[in-house]
Amino acid sequence: MSEDFSGVSLRDKTAIVTGSGLGAEIAVTLAKRGANVVVNYVSEGSKKRAEEVVNQINNLGREAVIVQASVSDIDQIQPIVDAALKLSKNGKIDILVHNAAQGLEANLIDTTVDFYNQHFDCNVRGPILLTKAALPHIPRGGRIVFISSAAARLGVGGQTVYAATKAANEALCRTWAKELGHTYGVTVNNVNPGPIATDQWFNSDEQFLKDMQPLIDSTPAAPRVGEVSDVAPLVAFLCTDDARWVTGSSLSASGGLIQF
Ligand SMILES: NC(=O)c1ccc[n+]([C@@H]2O[C@H](COP(=O)([O-])OP(=O)(O)OC[C@H]3O[C@@H](n4cnc5c(N)ncnc54)[C@H](OP(=O)(O)O)[C@@H]3O)[C@@H](O)[C@H]2O)c1
């Protein structure tokens, strides 16, 4: 019997992936499955990485376009959608991965309105406005995936605002699964990574990393921090036709650190 992987192929799908940390790996993984991808970054320091991602995708024989845009800025949302429409061969945007996030720590006592807005504007308002702008172009069978975090459920001190934004991602996922299911034929899912070796993790303060070490050591799958390559394949799967019966779900990609 011949092998058949057509149900997990993303051939000629058009995808938007926001952010370029874990997002870089997700973009390349989607391209490996056949998708053409809008690669997004915001900081000048991430430009080179975004360009490398585009090169990697082109070397795979797929197409990619870079958009420097902040999802926190209302005026920079539409250019992301426009870039996808330019990339798309059929005027459709099949896949939307909300990966970009602000992830700083602050204890409740130190939390300011600016800090709150910085996180909610990026992690919650950004995906809401980007999805709203992309929705008219998402075909039936389209896929939306949030990258939330184990922080939404773990309860780690210092993550008042970040954890709240990540719990909001889960809530949006469940809400949109219902709201967009029958009307738009779109699935909406949520992936909750545990600690993964990206800038966000390495930029955490020393005490936080020290406090987290026992938790890392207790990770059921292996006593180590996760890698981006541990998470991206799950995201890619949720974007496939084979994942059509999964919607409104949150999936833990934490090596079993958080089980649900
Ligand atoms: N690393 C972890 O341990 C961990 C654990 C659980 C969940 N997560 C989640 O995984 C996702 C990826 O995070 P990461 O680990 O890759 O973090 P990261 O290394 O800090 O990267 C965050 C990314 O978000 C982008 N970004 C930030 N603000 C943005 C904005 N306003 N508009 C567009 N892009 C923006 C950044 O772009 P620039 O580089 O251009 O600034 C960066 O590429 C996030 O949703 C995060 O919450 C991470």
mmCIF file of all heavy atoms in Angstrom, residues 130-162:
data_model
loop_
_atom_site.group_PDB
_atom_site.id
_atom_site.type_symbol
_atom_site.label_atom_id
_atom_site.label_comp_id
_atom_site.label_asym_id
_atom_site.label_seq_id
_atom_site.Cartn_x
_atom_site.Cartn_y
_atom_site.Cartn_z
ATOM 1 N N LEU A 130 -6.170 41.705 13.966
ATOM 2 C CA LEU A 130 -5.597 41.029 12.788
ATOM 3 C C LEU A 130 -6.578 39.984 12.249
ATOM 4 O O LEU A 130 -6.768 39.868 11.033
ATOM 5 C CB LEU A 130 -4.242 40.390 13.154
ATOM 6 C CG LEU A 130 -3.515 39.666 12.026
ATOM 7 C CD1 LEU A 130 -3.295 40.574 10.809
ATOM 8 C CD2 LEU A 130 -2.164 39.120 12.512
ATOM 9 N N THR A 131 -7.213 39.248 13.146
ATOM 10 C CA THR A 131 -8.183 38.241 12.691
ATOM 11 C C THR A 131 -9.366 38.918 12.012
ATOM 12 O O THR A 131 -9.844 38.470 10.963
ATOM 13 C CB THR A 131 -8.667 37.381 13.883
ATOM 14 O OG1 THR A 131 -7.527 36.802 14.506
ATOM 15 C CG2 THR A 131 -9.600 36.275 13.421
ATOM 16 N N LYS A 132 -9.823 40.019 12.609
ATOM 17 C CA LYS A 132 -10.958 40.745 12.012
ATOM 18 C C LYS A 132 -10.608 41.213 10.588
ATOM 19 O O LYS A 132 -11.424 41.105 9.667
ATOM 20 C CB LYS A 132 -11.319 41.938 12.904
ATOM 21 C CG LYS A 132 -12.573 42.641 12.481
ATOM 22 C CD LYS A 132 -12.902 43.799 13.395
ATOM 23 C CE LYS A 132 -14.028 44.620 12.787
ATOM 24 N NZ LYS A 132 -14.147 45.933 13.374
ATOM 25 N N ALA A 133 -9.365 41.708 10.431
ATOM 26 C CA ALA A 133 -8.949 42.215 9.115
ATOM 27 C C ALA A 133 -8.762 41.082 8.113
ATOM 28 O O ALA A 133 -9.022 41.246 6.917
ATOM 29 C CB ALA A 133 -7.649 43.012 9.257
ATOM 30 N N ALA A 134 -8.310 39.921 8.593
ATOM 31 C CA ALA A 134 -8.032 38.803 7.677
ATOM 32 C C ALA A 134 -9.289 37.997 7.351
ATOM 33 O O ALA A 134 -9.371 37.363 6.285
ATOM 34 C CB ALA A 134 -6.971 37.876 8.294
ATOM 35 N N LEU A 135 -10.264 38.029 8.252
ATOM 36 C CA LEU A 135 -11.422 37.129 8.155
ATOM 37 C C LEU A 135 -12.131 37.138 6.793
ATOM 38 O O LEU A 135 -12.475 36.058 6.286
ATOM 39 C CB LEU A 135 -12.406 37.446 9.290
ATOM 40 C CG LEU A 135 -13.453 36.372 9.594
ATOM 41 C CD1 LEU A 135 -12.818 35.018 9.871
ATOM 42 C CD2 LEU A 135 -14.319 36.812 10.767
ATOM 43 N N PRO A 136 -12.344 38.298 6.177
ATOM 44 C CA PRO A 136 -13.028 38.272 4.878
ATOM 45 C C PRO A 136 -12.264 37.471 3.821
ATOM 46 O O PRO A 136 -12.839 37.104 2.796
ATOM 47 C CB PRO A 136 -13.080 39.756 4.477
ATOM 48 C CG PRO A 136 -12.886 40.519 5.743
ATOM 49 C CD PRO A 136 -12.040 39.662 6.628
ATOM 50 N N HIS A 137 -10.966 37.205 4.077
ATOM 51 C CA HIS A 137 -10.137 36.521 3.081
ATOM 52 C C HIS A 137 -9.828 35.070 3.479
ATOM 53 O O HIS A 137 -9.115 34.384 2.767
ATOM 54 C CB HIS A 137 -8.817 37.289 2.900
ATOM 55 C CG HIS A 137 -9.026 38.761 2.730
ATOM 56 N ND1 HIS A 137 -9.541 39.299 1.569
ATOM 57 C CD2 HIS A 137 -8.855 39.809 3.591
ATOM 58 C CE1 HIS A 137 -9.657 40.613 1.723
ATOM 59 N NE2 HIS A 137 -9.242 40.950 2.935
ATOM 60 N N ILE A 138 -10.319 34.656 4.647
ATOM 61 C CA ILE A 138 -10.039 33.286 5.101
ATOM 62 C C ILE A 138 -11.115 32.366 4.525
ATOM 63 O O ILE A 138 -12.312 32.581 4.770
ATOM 64 C CB ILE A 138 -10.005 33.183 6.650
ATOM 65 C CG1 ILE A 138 -8.950 34.149 7.217
ATOM 66 C CG2 ILE A 138 -9.707 31.753 7.088
ATOM 67 C CD1 ILE A 138 -8.810 34.111 8.735
ATOM 68 N N PRO A 139 -10.717 31.352 3.762
ATOM 69 C CA PRO A 139 -11.715 30.476 3.139
ATOM 70 C C PRO A 139 -12.257 29.448 4.123
ATOM 71 O O PRO A 139 -11.684 29.256 5.206
ATOM 72 C CB PRO A 139 -10.886 29.766 2.056
ATOM 73 C CG PRO A 139 -9.516 29.702 2.640
ATOM 74 C CD PRO A 139 -9.339 30.951 3.462
ATOM 75 N N ARG A 140 -13.335 28.767 3.772
ATOM 76 C CA ARG A 140 -13.785 27.625 4.582
ATOM 77 C C ARG A 140 -12.640 26.624 4.604
ATOM 78 O O ARG A 140 -11.937 26.449 3.610
ATOM 79 C CB ARG A 140 -15.051 27.001 3.984
ATOM 80 C CG ARG A 140 -16.235 27.982 3.964
ATOM 81 C CD ARG A 140 -17.557 27.292 3.676
ATOM 82 N NE ARG A 140 -18.102 26.622 4.853
ATOM 83 C CZ ARG A 140 -18.755 27.248 5.835
ATOM 84 N NH1 ARG A 140 -18.933 28.560 5.801
ATOM 85 N NH2 ARG A 140 -19.210 26.569 6.870
ATOM 86 N N GLY A 141 -12.407 26.021 5.746
ATOM 87 C CA GLY A 141 -11.231 25.148 5.895
ATOM 88 C C GLY A 141 -10.026 25.921 6.405
ATOM 89 O O GLY A 141 -8.950 25.360 6.588
ATOM 90 N N GLY A 142 -10.222 27.229 6.631
ATOM 91 C CA GLY A 142 -9.126 28.054 7.151
ATOM 92 C C GLY A 142 -8.783 27.672 8.584
ATOM 93 O O GLY A 142 -9.563 27.013 9.278
ATOM 94 N N ARG A 143 -7.601 28.103 8.995
ATOM 95 C CA ARG A 143 -7.100 27.710 10.316
ATOM 96 C C ARG A 143 -6.546 28.919 11.070
ATOM 97 O O ARG A 143 -5.769 29.704 10.506
ATOM 98 C CB ARG A 143 -5.943 26.700 10.145
ATOM 99 C CG ARG A 143 -6.317 25.422 9.401
ATOM 100 C CD ARG A 143 -7.054 24.483 10.326
ATOM 101 N NE ARG A 143 -7.390 23.222 9.702
ATOM 102 C CZ ARG A 143 -8.608 22.905 9.241
ATOM 103 N NH1 ARG A 143 -9.598 23.770 9.293
ATOM 104 N NH2 ARG A 143 -8.837 21.705 8.728
ATOM 105 N N ILE A 144 -6.939 29.030 12.334
ATOM 106 C CA ILE A 144 -6.360 30.055 13.201
ATOM 107 C C ILE A 144 -5.753 29.337 14.400
ATOM 108 O O ILE A 144 -6.405 28.471 15.003
ATOM 109 C CB ILE A 144 -7.442 31.061 13.669
ATOM 110 C CG1 ILE A 144 -8.063 31.775 12.460
ATOM 111 C CG2 ILE A 144 -6.842 32.073 14.651
ATOM 112 C CD1 ILE A 144 -9.289 32.627 12.788
ATOM 113 N N VAL A 145 -4.500 29.638 14.694
ATOM 114 C CA VAL A 145 -3.850 29.017 15.850
ATOM 115 C C VAL A 145 -3.237 30.122 16.714
ATOM 116 O O VAL A 145 -2.496 30.973 16.220
ATOM 117 C CB VAL A 145 -2.732 28.025 15.427
ATOM 118 C CG1 VAL A 145 -2.110 27.372 16.660
ATOM 119 C CG2 VAL A 145 -3.264 26.954 14.485
ATOM 120 N N PHE A 146 -3.574 30.084 17.987
ATOM 121 C CA PHE A 146 -2.941 30.963 18.970
ATOM 122 C C PHE A 146 -1.757 30.250 19.606
ATOM 123 O O PHE A 146 -1.837 29.054 19.896
ATOM 124 C CB PHE A 146 -3.916 31.286 20.120
ATOM 125 C CG PHE A 146 -4.928 32.333 19.808
ATOM 126 C CD1 PHE A 146 -6.182 31.981 19.337
ATOM 127 C CD2 PHE A 146 -4.637 33.670 19.992
ATOM 128 C CE1 PHE A 146 -7.130 32.958 19.061
ATOM 129 C CE2 PHE A 146 -5.577 34.650 19.718
ATOM 130 C CZ PHE A 146 -6.823 34.290 19.253
ATOM 131 N N ILE A 147 -0.685 30.992 19.853
ATOM 132 C CA ILE A 147 0.364 30.479 20.730
ATOM 133 C C ILE A 147 0.145 31.152 22.083
ATOM 134 O O ILE A 147 0.434 32.334 22.273
ATOM 135 C CB ILE A 147 1.777 30.798 20.191
ATOM 136 C CG1 ILE A 147 1.925 30.337 18.723
ATOM 137 C CG2 ILE A 147 2.813 30.130 21.082
ATOM 138 C CD1 ILE A 147 1.688 28.865 18.462
ATOM 139 N N SER A 148 -0.423 30.395 22.990
ATOM 140 C CA SER A 148 -0.657 30.880 24.343
ATOM 141 C C SER A 148 0.563 30.515 25.183
ATOM 142 O O SER A 148 1.701 30.634 24.723
ATOM 143 C CB SER A 148 -1.953 30.272 24.893
ATOM 144 O OG SER A 148 -2.144 30.627 26.232
ATOM 145 N N SER A 149 0.355 30.025 26.350
ATOM 146 C CA SER A 149 1.490 29.637 27.208
ATOM 147 C C SER A 149 0.978 28.800 28.375
ATOM 148 O O SER A 149 -0.167 28.968 28.821
ATOM 149 C CB SER A 149 2.162 30.899 27.764
ATOM 150 O OG SER A 149 3.113 30.549 28.744
ATOM 151 N N ALA A 150 1.857 27.949 28.882
ATOM 152 C CA ALA A 150 1.544 27.237 30.124
ATOM 153 C C ALA A 150 1.254 28.242 31.232
ATOM 154 O O ALA A 150 0.525 27.946 32.189
ATOM 155 C CB ALA A 150 2.719 26.345 30.508
ATOM 156 N N ALA A 151 1.809 29.462 31.080
ATOM 157 C CA ALA A 151 1.616 30.512 32.087
ATOM 158 C C ALA A 151 0.142 30.831 32.307
ATOM 159 O O ALA A 151 -0.245 31.312 33.371
ATOM 160 C CB ALA A 151 2.353 31.788 31.660
ATOM 161 N N ALA A 152 -0.691 30.547 31.289
ATOM 162 C CA ALA A 152 -2.131 30.824 31.424
ATOM 163 C C ALA A 152 -2.731 30.009 32.558
ATOM 164 O O ALA A 152 -3.750 30.392 33.129
ATOM 165 C CB ALA A 152 -2.846 30.502 30.109
ATOM 166 N N ARG A 153 -2.116 28.847 32.869
ATOM 167 C CA ARG A 153 -2.709 27.944 33.872
ATOM 168 C C ARG A 153 -1.799 27.648 35.051
ATOM 169 O O ARG A 153 -2.257 27.160 36.080
ATOM 170 C CB ARG A 153 -3.052 26.615 33.203
ATOM 171 C CG ARG A 153 -4.029 26.777 32.057
ATOM 172 C CD ARG A 153 -4.441 25.444 31.504
ATOM 173 N NE ARG A 153 -5.287 25.626 30.333
ATOM 174 C CZ ARG A 153 -6.211 24.768 29.940
ATOM 175 N NH1 ARG A 153 -6.393 23.658 30.622
ATOM 176 N NH2 ARG A 153 -6.927 25.007 28.864
ATOM 177 N N LEU A 154 -0.480 27.907 34.859
ATOM 178 C CA LEU A 154 0.506 27.450 35.855
ATOM 179 C C LEU A 154 0.438 28.255 37.155
ATOM 180 O O LEU A 154 0.586 27.701 38.242
ATOM 181 C CB LEU A 154 1.901 27.563 35.228
ATOM 182 C CG LEU A 154 3.019 26.678 35.736
ATOM 183 C CD1 LEU A 154 2.600 25.211 35.768
ATOM 184 C CD2 LEU A 154 4.254 26.847 34.855
ATOM 185 N N GLY A 155 0.228 29.573 37.021
ATOM 186 C CA GLY A 155 0.253 30.425 38.201
ATOM 187 C C GLY A 155 1.672 30.652 38.680
ATOM 188 O O GLY A 155 2.104 30.110 39.688
ATOM 189 N N VAL A 156 2.427 31.438 37.918
ATOM 190 C CA VAL A 156 3.811 31.746 38.287
ATOM 191 C C VAL A 156 3.867 33.205 38.742
ATOM 192 O O VAL A 156 3.384 34.093 38.026
ATOM 193 C CB VAL A 156 4.763 31.550 37.079
ATOM 194 C CG1 VAL A 156 6.190 31.951 37.437
ATOM 195 C CG2 VAL A 156 4.721 30.103 36.602
ATOM 196 N N GLY A 157 4.427 33.449 39.933
ATOM 197 C CA GLY A 157 4.561 34.816 40.430
ATOM 198 C C GLY A 157 5.284 35.689 39.422
ATOM 199 O O GLY A 157 6.208 35.223 38.757
ATOM 200 N N GLY A 158 4.864 36.927 39.316
ATOM 201 C CA GLY A 158 5.520 37.860 38.396
ATOM 202 C C GLY A 158 4.879 37.874 37.016
ATOM 203 O O GLY A 158 5.325 38.604 36.136
ATOM 204 N N GLN A 159 3.834 37.048 36.835
ATOM 205 C CA GLN A 159 3.247 36.977 35.488
ATOM 206 C C GLN A 159 1.794 37.449 35.466
ATOM 207 O O GLN A 159 1.010 37.003 34.625
ATOM 208 C CB GLN A 159 3.366 35.547 34.948
ATOM 209 C CG GLN A 159 4.823 35.131 34.745
ATOM 210 C CD GLN A 159 4.990 33.875 33.924
ATOM 211 O OE1 GLN A 159 4.119 33.027 33.928
ATOM 212 N NE2 GLN A 159 6.110 33.748 33.233
ATOM 213 N N THR A 160 1.453 38.361 36.382
ATOM 214 C CA THR A 160 0.069 38.853 36.460
ATOM 215 C C THR A 160 -0.494 39.200 35.084
ATOM 216 O O THR A 160 -1.516 38.648 34.665
ATOM 217 C CB THR A 160 0.014 40.136 37.332
ATOM 218 O OG1 THR A 160 0.403 39.792 38.650
ATOM 219 C CG2 THR A 160 -1.379 40.753 37.352
ATOM 220 N N VAL A 161 0.168 40.090 34.377
ATOM 221 C CA VAL A 161 -0.388 40.596 33.124
ATOM 222 C C VAL A 161 -0.166 39.597 31.997
ATOM 223 O O VAL A 161 -1.085 39.292 31.221
ATOM 224 C CB VAL A 161 0.227 41.976 32.782
ATOM 225 C CG1 VAL A 161 -0.265 42.457 31.432
ATOM 226 C CG2 VAL A 161 -0.130 42.987 33.868
ATOM 227 N N TYR A 162 1.051 39.074 31.900
ATOM 228 C CA TYR A 162 1.358 38.113 30.828
ATOM 229 C C TYR A 162 0.412 36.918 30.902
ATOM 230 O O TYR A 162 -0.190 36.523 29.888
ATOM 231 C CB TYR A 162 2.818 37.664 30.954
ATOM 232 C CG TYR A 162 3.228 36.611 29.949
ATOM 233 C CD1 TYR A 162 3.292 36.896 28.582
ATOM 234 C CD2 TYR A 162 3.570 35.312 30.359
ATOM 235 C CE1 TYR A 162 3.666 35.930 27.657
ATOM 236 C CE2 TYR A 162 3.945 34.345 29.450
ATOM 237 C CZ TYR A 162 3.998 34.652 28.098
ATOM 238 O OH TYR A 162 4.363 33.687 27.180
#
